[in-house]
């Protein structure tokens, strides 16, 4: 199945091939290689509009996920037909992420991949509204990033370590 990547912004250069390869590896680590996923790189304007419309927070953000299926965290969707082999869409606020990386000195490409991993986990039912949910999601992010690190030689870690 495919990863459809669309760059809907012009503020930040996105290394699309690198991001697509990482998302394919993350999807495999989640056991979801058979599912399509949409990845949209967005600027602050679009992220602010989406965040306002769907979360009632009128400011840009780093990632928003729109799952195709409603599943319990840790379970894969059970499609009934070919058209349902879709995880959903992840909107990456690349302009927002880039601004944060400039402020912190973090590597933009690395943070973008880690943020995509976070978004993919949301597509598979992981949440972080409570401490137990956060712990479950954090552990899943660690697991899939470790697999990506093993494949690529990177040393990526989840960004959410200090949430609770």
């Amino acid at each position: 199945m495919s990863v459809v990547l669309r760059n809907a912004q012009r503020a930040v250069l996105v290394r699309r091939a690198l991001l697509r390869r990482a998302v394919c590896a993350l999807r495999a680590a989640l056991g979801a290689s058979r599912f399509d996923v949409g990845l949209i790189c967005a600027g602050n304007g679009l992220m602010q509009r989406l965040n306002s419309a769907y979360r009632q927070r009128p400011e840009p953000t780093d990632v928003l996920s729109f799952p195709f299926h409603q599943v319990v965290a840790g379970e894969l969707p059970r499609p009934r037909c070919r058209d349902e082999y879709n995880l959903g869409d992840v909107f990456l606020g690349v302009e927002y992420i880039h601004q944060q990386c400039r402020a912190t000195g973090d590597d933009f490409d690395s943070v973008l991949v880690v943020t995509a991993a976070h978004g993919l986990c949301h597509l598979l039912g992981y949440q972080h509204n409570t401490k137990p949910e956060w712990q479950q999601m954090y552990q899943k992010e660690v697991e899939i990033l470790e697999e990506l690190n093993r494949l690529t030689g990177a040393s990526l870690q989840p960004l959410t370590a200090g949430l609770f």
Side-chain angles (χ1 to χ4, degrees):
M1 295 299 158
S2 66
V3 172
V4 176
L5 194 151
R6 179 169 177 249
N7 189 5
Q9 58 82 49
R10 294 178 188 245
V12 179
L13 177 66
V14 176
R15 296 173 56 193
R16 290 181 290 205
L18 176 82
L19 182 58
R20 179 180 279 114
R21 280 193 304 274
V23 169
C24 285
L26 291 166
R27 202 176 41 151
L30 286 163
S33 292
R34 297 179 309 156
F35 292 87
D36 295 328
V37 66
L39 202 60
I40 299 91
C41 297
N44 282 345
L46 177 56
M47 292 304 285
Q48 181 174 336
R49 288 190 301 277
L50 291 171
N51 205 20
S52 181
Y54 292 98
R55 298 180 66 227
Q56 291 69 53
R57 296 184 181 172
E59 65 262 346
T61 188
D62 58 351
V63 64
L64 293 168
S65 297
F66 297 93
F68 186 82
H69 301 274
Q70 297 299 320
V71 294
V72 174
E75 292 185 12
L76 288 175
R78 296 191 177 142
R80 291 171 288 173
C81 64
R82 168 66 187 99
D83 290 343
E84 293 182 0
Y85 278 86
N86 184 354
L87 292 180
D89 296 319
V90 175
F91 283 75
L92 293 171
V94 295
E95 185 176 2
Y96 180 89
I97 294 166
H98 189 261
Q99 290 167 341
Q100 296 298 313
C101 288
R102 286 183 66 192
T104 62
D106 291 328
D107 177 67
F108 170 71
D109 290 319
S110 297
V111 172
L112 195 59
V113 168
V114 172
T115 306
H118 186 82
L120 287 171
C121 286
H122 276 307
L123 293 182
L124 290 174
Y126 292 93
Q127 298 297 324
H128 46 78
N129 299 319
T130 65
K131 187 172 183 177
E133 285 178 344
W134 173 83
Q135 290 171 325
Q136 182 184 33
M137 184 169 187
Y138 181 80
Q139 193 55 45
K140 180 51 75 173
E141 287 182 33
V142 166
E143 178 185 315
I144 65 173
L145 288 170
E146 283 178 352
E147 177 63 13
L148 181 63
N149 291 340
R150 187 185 68 74
L151 294 171
T152 65
S155 57
L156 303 176
Q157 295 292 318
L159 302 174
T160 57
L163 195 58
F164 277 92

